[in-house]
Amino acid sequence: MAATSIKNLKEFSTSNDRFEGAHTLCPGCAHSMIVRELMNCTDDNLVIATNTGCLEVSTAVYPFTSWDTSWIHIGFENAATAASGAEAMYKARKRKGSLKDNDASVKFVAFGGDGSTYDIGFQWLSGAVERGHDFTYICLDNENYANTGGQRSSATPIGATTTTAQAGSHSYGKKEKKKDMIAIMAAHGAPYVAQLAPNKWKSMAKGFQKALETEGPCFINTVSACCTEWKFDPKDTIGITDLATDSLIFPIYEIIDGHELNILYRPKNVIKVEDYLAAQGRYKHLFKPEYKHVIEQIQKDVDKQWEMLQRREEARI
Amino acid sequence: MQHLKLLANDNRGLNELENGTGLMGWHEVTQGSILPSFEGDATHIAHLKSEERSYSNFNSYTATVASWRVLKPVYNRDICIDCQNCWVWCPDSSILSRDKQMLGIDYDHCKGCSVCVEVCPTNPKSLIMFSEQTPLEDALGQWPEKKKKEDK
């Protein structure tokens, strides 16, 4: 059940916050924008599992919790497992009629960072999606292990410097490309898979509502700009996300039932990836003459991916 | 700013996150714990505004991160158009909005990231960062004039 009509922002703003302040995420962190939006876009009771990561360590600083719903912290790899276990028990107890309120609408959500989604919890997520539990997995993709000091993850894009893939005289940072998690999850046959960004709040809220309403495992990758590790001023979180979506580094699209691809946002003016890269400290070294070819490579990859998405949208296969 | 008093909870601001009383060392913490966010039944919490809820002392709503701030956002009601951009993008749930109206800033939870100032679309901005020590009246007195469009 949708909480409030999300026709416009004024109506959306009448929803009641269920993610409280005084968590210890960095000022300007996009994680909390995304989590707040998920919890504001529905009135349903939520059962949330969170992997170890920035979100978990910052929102459950003993003796405080920032969550106004049922929430569990579990190991680095287990958010999908915990959510699917809770969902299985809920279904069984509902069938037996042993719940306190058998008519209540309950939704199961798992949050993970990109480290726990792309690397450490990948097998568990894959298993939960294959078993077909009715839950929504949301990856807060900030492209590195930000909680432990910015190590590379398989979501770190090519050319970014991280503490374990540092740029210097012999290296331009990470040499490998980012894993295409959305395609992998779509290949599982998940009924709803999407990539969303907090700067496009409307498509994000609609995507969240769609995922919560869809029966079966849904996967959403959200772009979460990390001011600490991407090295930009905290006030620019939304600006950087704008650059990311307008340069098509992070195209916003959904895939329904593993094949029906819809592009949810087409920038009026597509900007060059150079503008996006230049705004962040982690790509500073790419603007040296010897590493210019990496920027060209990134631009080529982005163009190719956008071409592919457009063709897939047309082909409807 | 009188509205803000209505929204305050009796427990607000009692707990300082870093240097608060009652924190324990890692060896004293039991393995696994359950923290109830509310006193009593919380089944219909999604339908209650924060001033109608009975928060428990475990809820971070009762804590404050005000000491993180160097600059604070100051809100000017006269210019605001209630677009709610600041509400949707505030990472710390610190913009107080009720009935489609922006009421002010929750200074207990604001960390001073100035995302709200960046996304404010009015001219001049209806949210501007001032030094933490500046009294609100002085800040409102120093508000800049409307900027004219630059000739192209």
Side-chain angles (χ1 to χ4, degrees), chain A residues 96-127:
Chain A
K96 289 178 189 163
S98 66
L99 288 169
K100 196 173 147 195
D101 182 0
N102 241 12
D103 306 320
S105 177
V106 182
K107 301 285 190 238
F108 295 84
V109 178
F111 281 111
D114 60 288
S116 53
T117 307
Y118 284 64
D119 303 339
I120 296 173
F122 182 56
Q123 176 190 338
W124 286 261
L125 170 62
S126 176

Side-chain angles (χ1 to χ4, degrees), chain A residues 8 24 56 67 73 79 102 130 147 167 170 243 275 290 303:
Chain A
N8 60 50
T24 58
E56 173 270 319
W67 301 84
H73 161 231
N102 241 12
E130 188 268 333
N147 180 37
H170 287 71
L243 292 176
D275 299 342
E290 64 263 38
D303 292 345

Side-chain angles (χ1 to χ4, degrees), chain A residues 17 20-21 25 36 65 67 198, chain B residues 37 53 55 60 89-90 111:
Chain A
D17 267 316
E20 299 296 348
L25 288 164
R36 264 190 74 214
T65 170
W67 301 84
Chain B
S37 306
R53 298 173 179 172
Y55 289 103
S60 73
W89 283 312
C90 175
K111 292 172 187 154

Side-chain angles (χ1 to χ4, degrees), chain A residues 14-299:
Chain A
T14 57
S15 57
N16 302 318
D17 267 316
R18 281 193 283 171
F19 185 67
E20 299 296 348
H23 47 71
T24 58
L25 288 164
C26 302
C29 178
H31 274 27
S32 40
M33 299 177 191
I34 297 162
V35 174
R36 264 190 74 214
E37 192 155 337
L38 173 96
M39 294 171 87
N40 280 333
C41 78
T42 174
D43 272 351
D44 294 333
N45 290 328
L46 294 168
V47 176
I48 298 180
T50 303
N51 283 330
T52 300
C54 282
L55 183 68
E56 173 270 319
V57 299
S58 306
T59 57
V61 186
Y62 193 83
F64 294 113
T65 170
S66 299
W67 301 84
D68 292 354
T69 60
S70 305
W71 178 83
I72 183 171
H73 161 231
I74 194 130
F76 215 147
E77 61 285 340
N78 294 127
T81 322
S84 56
E87 187 263 352
M89 189 183 77
Y90 173 76
K91 263 192 188 157
R93 288 190 59 178
K94 194 166 187 172
R95 201 170 52 236
K96 289 178 189 163
S98 66
L99 288 169
K100 196 173 147 195
D101 182 0
N102 241 12
D103 306 320
S105 177
V106 182
K107 301 285 190 238
F108 295 84
V109 178
F111 281 111
D114 60 288
S116 53
T117 307
Y118 284 64
D119 303 339
I120 296 173
F122 182 56
Q123 176 190 338
W124 286 261
L125 170 62
S126 176
V129 173
E130 188 268 333
R131 289 192 300 274
H133 292 283
D134 182 11
F135 79 114
T136 301
Y137 191 101
I138 296 173
C139 171
L140 304 162
D141 182 7
N142 58 13
E143 302 194 322
N144 64 69
Y145 288 87
N147 180 37
T148 46
Q151 290 84 2
R152 94 190 256 293
S153 78
S154 56
T156 309
I158 183 169
T161 180
T162 65
T163 45
T164 48
Q166 279 198 347
S169 53
H170 287 71
S171 167
Y172 54 80
K174 194 186 166 193
K175 292 196 169 58
E176 300 79 18
K177 285 178 192 170
K178 180 173 178 161
K179 197 192 267 183
D180 189 353
M181 196 66 182
I182 296 114
I184 296 170
M185 297 320 289
H188 280 71
Y192 186 78
V193 175
Q195 174 155 273
L196 304 168
N199 60 330
K200 304 292 163 207
W201 65 269
K202 201 168 182 174
S203 65
M204 190 159 89
K206 281 189 176 165
F208 285 161
Q209 289 188 334
K210 213 166 174 178
L212 291 173
E213 280 157 27
T214 305
E215 208 167 305
C218 303
F219 176 83
I220 293 176
N221 195 53
T222 53
V223 187
S224 182
C226 175
C227 46
T228 310
E229 298 301 341
W230 294 15
K231 298 187 178 64
F232 61 86
D233 199 324
K235 71 179 169 49
D236 295 327
T237 306
I238 292 299
I240 293 278
T241 319
D242 277 337
L243 292 176
T245 51
D246 287 358
S247 65
L248 300 170
I249 286 252
F250 281 105
I252 300 179
Y253 62 101
E254 60 182 15
I255 304 176
I256 296 164
D257 291 330
H259 58 83
E260 192 187 327
L261 192 145
N262 300 314
I263 295 171
L264 301 176
Y265 170 66
R266 283 167 210 280
K268 271 182 199 144
N269 300 312
V270 178
I271 58 167
K272 285 189 171 157
V273 293
E274 213 172 315
D275 299 342
Y276 167 73
L277 304 179
Q280 301 166 57
R282 63 172 175 161
Y283 290 118
K284 205 169 71 186
H285 55 280
L286 293 186
F287 292 86
K288 287 179 190 163
E290 64 263 38
Y291 295 144
K292 280 271 181 197
H293 67 279
V294 184
I295 298 182
E296 283 160 25
Q297 183 62 43
I298 295 172
Q299 182 71 60

Side-chain angles (χ1 to χ4, degrees), chain A residues 1 9-29 32-33 36-37 40 42-43 45 61-69 100-101 198-201 234-238, chain B residues 15 17 23-24 29 33 35 37-38 41 43 45-49 53 55 57-65 68 81-85 87-93 97 99-100 109 111 113-115 118-119:
Chain A
M1 182 182 64
L9 201 44
K10 280 196 178 190
E11 284 180 35
F12 190 31
S13 78
T14 57
S15 57
N16 302 318
D17 267 316
R18 281 193 283 171
F19 185 67
E20 299 296 348
H23 47 71
T24 58
L25 288 164
C26 302
C29 178
S32 40
M33 299 177 191
R36 264 190 74 214
E37 192 155 337
N40 280 333
T42 174
D43 272 351
N45 290 328
V61 186
Y62 193 83
F64 294 113
T65 170
S66 299
W67 301 84
D68 292 354
T69 60
K100 196 173 147 195
D101 182 0
N199 60 330
K200 304 292 163 207
W201 65 269
K235 71 179 169 49
D236 295 327
T237 306
I238 292 299
Chain B
N15 304 301
L17 266 174
L23 294 187
M24 40 176 93
V29 179
S33 61
L35 303 177
S37 306
F38 300 99
D41 184 39
T43 320
I45 216 74
H47 302 285
L48 297 178
K49 294 179 169 48
R53 298 173 179 172
Y55 289 103
N57 280 341
F58 294 120
N59 198 309
S60 73
Y61 183 80
T62 65
T64 173
V65 283
W68 289 34
I81 54 169
D82 293 312
C83 69
Q84 306 294 351
N85 274 0
W87 174 84
V88 76
W89 283 312
C90 175
D92 295 299
S93 323
S97 276
D99 303 325
K100 303 181 188 180
H109 296 156
K111 292 172 187 154
C113 64
S114 63
V115 164
E118 285 299 303
V119 299

